[in-house]
Amino acid sequence: MTTIMNANAQSHTIPPKLNRVSDTRFEPHGVVHEYVDSVTRHWLLKMPDTNPAVLEMFRDRDKTPHRDLLPWSGEFAGKYLTGAVQVLRLTHDPQLKSYLSHFVSKLVSLQAADGYLGPFPPDNHLEGKGGTWDVWGHYHIMLGLLLWHEETGDKEALHCAGRIGDLLCRKFLRTGKRLVDTGNSEMNLAAIHSLGLLYQVTPKQPYLDLARQILNEFQDKNAGDYLRCALAGKEYYEGPKPRWESLHAIMGMAELYWITGDEDCRKAFEQIWWSIVKLDRHNNGGFSSGEQAQGDPYHPGAIETCCTVAWIAMSVDMLRLTGNPLVADELELSTLNQVLGYQHRSGAACSYDTPMNGVRRNSLDEIGFQIRPGSEQVNCCSANAPRGLGMISDWALMTDGSDLTLNWYGSSTLTSLVRGVSVTLRQETDYPRQGGITLHVSPAHEMQFALQLRIPHWSARTTIRVNGKSVPNVKSGSYCTLLRSWKPGDIVQIGLDMSPHFWVGERECAGKTSIYRGPILLVLETKVPRLTPSPQESDKILDAAALHGRLLPPTRVNSPQVLVEYTATDGSKVRLRDYGTAGEGGTPYLSWLNVRNVTPTPFSRSNPWRSARPTARHIDVRP
């Protein structure tokens, strides 16, 4: 087996081009606030108490008879903690922080003397017998503990994560026994990611050495060969392990690049990310078809919640790695459409499959085989779903180490620090319903810094004014950098182009078209629950070249985020609503529609959504 990286190579640090700004306070308003508040109150502050087996499975792992466990049961506590910490970053909710403190204290107390923190009996600790994903479970617990330590400084949490790392090193580092030999390599090799994170906090050489060893194990016939396949230019779906879980192991390559400067790790990571955007990210921002890459963004296979969460996590690292604003466009697409789509607005439920066309079902029903005594509400997706919202904290406001980069648009208040000075960014807007944003920039005192504003690639005509003065040369798909001496009361006015743009379908979606309004995917929802829309509804044809619409105001509780009324070619009215809040009542919907006068647009790295506007006539939406 070829050695990819010299284990004795000297480590050095490559800083990310963009990073989240620590201690930022994010106060979202509108629909996003509803979701974040609901998932906090009705899930994060309840789940461990109403599902005590999530922790009890660790307490009684040595008792007989042994629990009836899933191969991945050990992941639930870590997935819950990871998402909860990232939501806490958004809200700084004191009740949630106190609740998580108690949860972490209980979790840490259940660690065995040798560092083991899984639910399986002694003869199957990190062994993979019976197809267990035991290392995978430890990976998620390590990730959650490291995020909690970063947020709170909890030394016991870091110590617990370190003891897991020590256990992994004693068992697998240069012992002749490899992680890949535990089976389910796309899951268990994810430890490369948490080991890289742990090394950066400690840093202890064995953690880096084991991460490098796992990188070499990627080449094993039973593993994913992610590095070599990507460097050879292969598409992700063409590799031996194109499942969604592999994305967590692939994220380990980004960590190794930042730690060691290994360019091959960087190139492979970027190649895989772009391959997924091109061939396996759907029109709704969701990733995977039937839980893996298929090389077909039109594939009707299930778009699992866990797959999209992993995709968003990988995309956050891609944004940190490249500083490319188009990655932030992807994060917005996934969050405002697929995340809001899979997470029920009550906060108490999520879907397993959130399809492009179809019906959304409660994950407790759709993957009910995962129900076990004491954890009846918990499955792989419900444990993981809040993380999609929580990761907004990773990309909404970022820094290059000195200045600010604003990626998030929507009614909100963000308060952060620039070189030790408090800066508040307050947005007055009903975006994404409309494209006008008034941004109030208020530093604690006058100071000079650069504020980068994301200009989405889909906004063909964008205007920016600072205190009433126009900013020239604003380009789509870039950051507009405003370097000036800012003082309290400064106002930036942003105007984004919200005219419809269209993705023409192929393969299974040939003859159909997706309609976007800004970042929002529009769907046709039926009036009564049934398996498919009625012929009268689904056969409506819209003319892209003459598509004038009326933006309807919110009229009720749980109203759509966006609701637009268009006129079909037969003169009838057709109402399209945002994908994220569609189908909440079990109502079927379609995101691939009948549209004429549209021209297919090929995928490109400047237009990854394949969307375009017709040139025949100007189209608009009138409020």
Side-chain angles (χ1 to χ4, degrees):
M1 182 178 294
T2 303
T3 299
I4 297 173
M5 186 181 291
N6 181 355
N8 296 315
Q10 185 176 1
S11 297
H12 60 280
T13 300
I14 304 288
K17 292 186 177 179
L18 289 176
N19 243 333
R20 77 178 188 92
V21 188
S22 300
D23 299 322
T24 296
R25 288 188 174 271
F26 180 63
E27 300 174 31
H29 307 301
V31 171
V32 173
H33 169 75
E34 289 181 42
Y35 277 82
V36 172
D37 184 67
S38 293
V39 83
T40 298
R41 304 297 159 209
H42 301 139
W43 181 255
L44 297 178
L45 287 171
K46 291 184 176 182
M47 190 281 279
D49 291 329
T50 55
N51 299 273
V54 167
L55 289 177
E56 288 300 314
M57 68 175 70
F58 303 126
R59 190 184 307 279
D60 60 16
R61 57 181 164 249
D62 297 334
K63 295 179 180 179
T64 55
H66 299 303
R67 281 181 181 265
D68 175 23
L69 297 172
L70 297 157
W72 53 86
S73 289
E75 73 175 25
F76 296 153
K79 280 185 170 181
Y80 163 78
L81 179 59
T82 297
V85 173
Q86 289 175 314
V87 169
L88 178 64
R89 285 176 173 177
L90 281 180
T91 64
H92 292 263
D93 185 311
Q95 186 180 2
L96 178 59
K97 186 174 183 179
S98 176
Y99 191 86
L100 292 179
S101 180
H102 290 295
F103 178 85
V104 171
S105 180
K106 291 178 184 177
L107 177 63
V108 167
S109 73
L110 298 172
Q111 189 172 34
D114 65 353
Y116 182 76
L117 192 47
F120 299 107
D123 66 344
N124 197 15
H125 285 189
L126 306 179
E127 293 289 337
K129 294 178 182 178
T132 56
W133 304 6
D134 205 8
V135 180
W136 167 262
H138 282 77
Y139 158 70
H140 282 287
I141 289 174
M142 288 176 74
L143 180 59
L145 290 171
L146 289 170
L147 289 175
W148 175 251
H149 169 261
E150 181 183 47
E151 183 68 18
T152 66
D154 186 337
K155 293 181 180 179
E156 289 302 314
L158 178 60
H159 181 61
C160 183
R163 292 180 66 204
I164 294 173
D166 294 340
L167 173 63
L168 292 173
C169 289
R170 288 196 305 273
K171 192 171 185 70
F172 297 107
L173 180 60
R174 295 186 288 270
T175 63
K177 184 171 181 61
R178 304 174 305 159
L179 271 89
V180 71
D181 296 328
T182 65
N184 294 294
S185 67
E186 58 267 65
M187 299 84 178
N188 288 332
L189 294 186
I192 185 177
H193 182 220
S194 57
L195 287 164
L197 294 171
L198 184 60
Y199 172 79
Q200 292 177 70
V201 178
T202 46
K204 293 183 179 180
Q205 190 63 35
Y207 304 150
L208 177 58
D209 291 344
L210 183 54
R212 287 167 160 163
Q213 181 175 302
I214 296 172
L215 188 70
N216 286 317
E217 290 183 25
F218 283 176
Q219 300 173 82
D220 186 87
K221 64 180 180 179
N222 294 315
D225 210 5
Y226 314 114
L227 185 66
R228 290 193 307 181
C229 285
L231 292 177
K234 287 188 176 181
E235 304 293 356
Y236 178 58
Y237 79 93
E238 297 175 317
K241 297 286 184 180
R243 280 184 59 87
W244 69 269
E245 294 94 343
S246 296
L247 270 58
H248 294 277
I250 291 164
M251 288 166 65
M253 293 195 296
E255 297 301 329
L256 284 177
Y257 168 70
W258 286 316
I259 294 169
T260 70
D262 187 303
E263 279 291 319
D264 282 350
C265 285
R266 180 191 62 78
K267 292 175 183 176
F269 183 90
E270 292 189 27
Q271 163 66 17
I272 293 170
W273 189 87
W274 277 112
S275 177
I276 291 174
V277 172
K278 179 181 179 180
L279 298 170
D280 283 286
R281 190 266 293 132
H282 298 282
N283 63 344
N284 50 27
F287 161 64
S288 87
S289 306
E291 303 191 11
Q292 70 174 47
Q294 304 281 357
D296 178 5
Y298 312 100
H299 194 290
I303 306 174
E304 185 189 1
T305 287
C306 286
C307 307
T308 297
V309 170
W311 169 239
I312 293 174
M314 184 180 180
S315 296
V316 168
D317 274 357
M318 183 67 172
L319 182 55
R320 296 173 64 217
L321 187 68
T322 64
N324 185 345
L326 272 77
V327 182
D329 293 347
E330 289 290 323
L331 286 162
E332 182 180 51
L333 173 72
S334 297
T335 302
L336 294 184
N337 294 284
Q338 192 69 0
V339 171
L340 298 192
Y342 72 58
Q343 181 67 65
H344 195 275
R345 201 172 340 200
S346 70
C350 73
S351 60
Y352 158 78
D353 172 26
T354 313
M356 296 180 287
N357 295 336
V359 178
R360 299 172 188 177
R361 297 181 174 89
N362 193 314
S363 66
L364 299 182
D365 296 326
E366 197 161 10
I367 49 175
F369 72 92
Q370 295 193 35
I371 293 174
R372 294 293 187 274
S375 57
E376 289 85 357
Q377 297 171 299
V378 183
N379 52 55
C380 58
C381 291
S382 65
N384 212 14
R387 191 181 178 195
L389 292 166
M391 281 187 287
I392 295 172
S393 65
D394 285 306
W395 61 273
L397 186 66
M398 305 184 81
T399 181
D400 60 2
S402 177
D403 301 303
L404 292 180
T405 298
L406 181 63
N407 291 310
W408 178 264
Y409 294 131
S411 180
S412 59
T413 302
L414 295 94
T415 303
S416 191
L417 294 176
V418 178
R419 298 190 289 279
V421 178
S422 177
V423 176
T424 297
L425 304 177
R426 181 169 59 88
Q427 297 185 46
E428 292 181 348
T429 179
D430 64 354
Y431 180 89
R433 292 186 73 250
Q434 299 196 77
I437 302 164
T438 299
L439 174 64
H440 299 262
V441 183
S442 299
H445 58 73
E446 185 172 352
M447 68 175 298
Q448 180 170 298
F449 64 91
L451 175 61
Q452 289 198 127
L453 302 176
R454 176 175 63 92
I455 311 301
H457 74 279
W458 47 258
S459 182
R461 300 167 297 180
T462 303
T463 61
I464 294 180
R465 294 176 178 271
V466 179
N467 294 332
K469 184 177 180 180
S470 295
V471 176
N473 302 319
V474 179
K475 297 180 180 179
S476 302
S478 69
Y479 284 118
C480 176
T481 301
L482 304 176
L483 175 60
R484 66 191 308 274
S485 183
W486 297 94
K487 58 183 180 297
D490 281 343
I491 294 177
V492 180
Q493 293 171 301
I494 306 166
L496 300 176
D497 185 352
M498 305 299 281
S499 60
H501 47 115
F502 304 85
W503 176 350
V504 179
E506 302 175 56
R507 300 188 186 186
E508 293 90 340
C509 298
K512 303 293 184 179
T513 296
S514 287
I515 304 175
Y516 294 91
R517 187 169 182 276
I520 298 297
L521 175 64
L522 297 177
V523 303
L524 173 66
E525 188 180 63
T526 63
K527 294 181 175 62
V528 294
R530 51 180 172 263
L531 289 178
T532 58
S534 67
Q536 294 88 345
E537 294 169 317
S538 61
D539 290 345
K540 297 292 184 182
I541 299 174
L542 298 171
D543 185 352
L547 194 63
H548 298 286
R550 183 167 64 97
L551 184 63
L552 302 178
T555 57
R556 56 181 174 82
V557 177
N558 290 344
S559 63
Q561 188 175 21
V562 176
L563 182 63
V564 187
E565 185 177 84
Y566 293 110
T567 302
T569 55
D570 64 1
S572 63
K573 301 298 182 183
V574 177
R575 290 188 174 185
L576 303 182
R577 66 179 293 170
D578 65 288
Y579 175 92
T581 64
E584 289 180 316
T587 307
Y589 59 86
L590 295 171
S591 71
W592 290 101
L593 306 172
N594 294 316
V595 183
R596 72 183 188 189
N597 286 324
V598 288
T599 302
T601 301
F603 172 89
S604 70
R605 292 194 177 187
S606 61
N607 184 6
W609 298 11
R610 302 170 173 86
S611 70
R613 294 172 171 86
T615 57
R617 289 183 58 183
H618 173 65
I619 52 180
D620 66 0
V621 175
R622 298 185 179 92

